[in-house]
Amino acid sequence: MIAAPQKELVLNHEEVHIWSLSLSVPPICIDRLQQVLSEHECHRVSQFRFERDRNQFITCRGLLRYILSLYLYQDPGQLQLSSNAFGKPHLRTHNTTEQQDLRFNYSHADRLAVFAFARRREIGVDVELIRPDVARESIPEHFFCKAEVATLRALQLEIQGDAFFECWTRKEAYIKARGEGFRIPLNSFDVSSDHLVADQENSHWSLQSFVPAPGYVAALVTEGQGWRTRFIQSPRRFFTQQEGVPCCIY
Ligand SMILES: CC(C)(COP(=O)(O)OP(=O)(O)OC[C@H]1O[C@@H](n2cnc3c(N)ncnc32)[C@H](O)[C@@H]1OP(=O)(O)O)[C@@H](O)C(=O)NCCC(=O)NCCS
């Protein structure tokens, strides 16, 4: 069972909530999280070859369910999740307005997971661990649009690594917000602007980059404009220390 909330968690229509949580959790917490997974999720768990990938999936899905339960006042194990044809998860049952309205997405990289929640607007989030050398390769020339490549290559070499991952996370967050994955060609839209995605449909998608933890960069893309972000970051306190029971930390 989840511990009682310290205070009410309210997600307004004009807000987006971002949770950044460490994936370095003790085995007892992983066991607890696995208990709330669905049969389908447990099947996915069984298909991972490496323990590290298995534990990451359990931790991400378990944390997702616990956070969703805070917004929906429901048992995390009872929530029914499904995915679209391209893998984007969503809530399957819509018994209440809260369920109908709630949109979410998450991403993980190395030891960090970032979860994003909004109401009545589609949302996509991506996080990456910055690896400076990647920008020196020809990945941008292959995947970025011309304006993005020009912007990146005009920078001093030592800051191109950070800039590359900022651009990359924006692009992934956009295709994740749209929910169609890599079916959308990465060079068919431009994320050079700090606020709006420029795509072929005269975009109504807005974007925001942020640093969820030192060494990482993340981006959020959300339908429409005029929302504000609330960051919820206190990874060490997600679990009670003795028993590994998830508890509220916001
Ligand atoms: C979505 C995608 C860009 C994520 O890439 P990534 O950087 O490797 O992974 P991230 O950690 O950022 O995100 C993974 C999470 O994004 C979510 N996700 C998966 N597919 C998604 C999609 N199409 N749109 C939005 N979110 C998606 C899931 O929650 C996934 O976590 P899970 O594997 O634990 O369920 C990539 O997996 C993709 O393009 N998938 C689409 C594949 C596809 O088109 N399949 C067609 C099936 S025929």
Side-chain angles (χ1 to χ4, degrees):
M1 275 302 290
I2 193 159
Q6 291 158 1
K7 59 181 187 232
E8 209 181 336
L9 183 59
V10 178
L11 173 63
N12 295 317
H13 286 107
E14 69 281 5
E15 276 184 328
V16 173
H17 286 185
I18 302 284
W19 295 66
S20 302
L21 296 172
S22 169
L23 291 173
S24 300
V25 297
I28 188 171
C29 300
I30 296 174
D31 290 347
R32 291 264 183 194
L33 293 171
Q34 187 159 13
Q35 286 166 18
V36 300
L37 300 193
S38 67
E39 211 174 301
H40 177 68
E41 287 163 338
C42 289
H43 177 66
R44 280 190 68 185
V45 170
S46 70
Q47 292 183 317
F48 286 104
R49 204 164 143 211
F50 300 108
E51 191 182 11
R52 180 191 151 109
D53 297 336
R54 200 161 41 239
N55 287 344
Q56 270 191 357
F57 177 77
I58 295 169
T59 308
C60 282
R61 279 295 171 128
L63 289 173
L64 171 72
R65 284 177 167 274
Y66 271 103
I67 301 171
L68 282 170
S69 76
L70 297 177
Y71 290 111
L72 297 170
Y73 311 107
Q74 275 191 12
D75 188 319
Q78 298 298 316
L79 294 170
Q80 301 208 22
L81 301 178
S82 193
S83 300
N84 75 4
F86 307 100
K88 183 171 185 174
H90 57 85
L91 283 158
R92 196 167 73 206
T93 46
H94 295 312
N95 297 333
T96 61
T97 316
E98 275 77 22
Q99 285 186 350
Q100 265 169 23
D101 286 355
L102 198 61
R103 304 284 184 278
F104 63 88
N105 195 230
Y106 72 82
S107 175
H108 61 85
D110 198 52
R111 305 308 305 154
L112 190 74
V114 176
F115 302 83
F117 300 86
R119 290 203 185 279
R120 287 196 210 154
R121 39 175 115 229
E122 283 304 335
I123 190 164
V125 69
D126 189 58
V127 62
E128 297 288 344
L129 180 70
I130 296 172
R131 287 154 282 142
D133 289 348
V134 175
R136 298 208 185 113
E137 297 160 14
S138 56
I139 298 172
E141 281 73 13
H142 281 109
F143 295 107
F144 290 5
C145 73
K146 282 186 180 153
E148 291 163 347
V149 176
T151 308
L152 178 74
R153 295 305 184 203
L155 298 171
Q156 288 181 333
L157 207 54
E158 54 272 30
I159 56 170
Q160 284 192 19
D162 288 16
F164 167 80
F165 280 104
E166 186 176 279
C167 187
W168 182 264
T169 50
R170 289 175 177 202
K171 293 183 93 62
E172 281 222 10
Y174 173 73
I175 61 172
K176 292 180 77 180
R178 297 274 307 263
E180 294 168 52
F182 289 116
R183 204 174 79 127
I184 303 174
L186 285 176
N187 59 5
S188 67
F189 59 95
D190 181 357
V191 294
S192 303
S193 140
D194 271 341
H195 305 292
L196 270 184
V197 180
D199 60 14
Q200 286 154 350
E201 295 148 27
N202 269 338
S203 181
H204 59 291
W205 300 93
S206 45
L207 63 84
Q208 181 180 358
S209 289
F210 59 98
V211 175
Y216 292 84
V217 65
L220 171 71
V221 168
T222 304
E223 210 174 0
Q225 293 177 56
W227 41 270
R228 61 174 188 278
T229 320
R230 178 177 164 198
F231 292 96
I232 302 173
Q233 265 168 316
S234 34
R236 283 186 301 278
R237 289 172 51 213
F238 203 88
F239 303 96
T240 57
Q241 282 188 343
Q242 298 82 7
E243 292 157 345
V245 178
C247 63
C248 296
I249 54 163
Y250 48 89

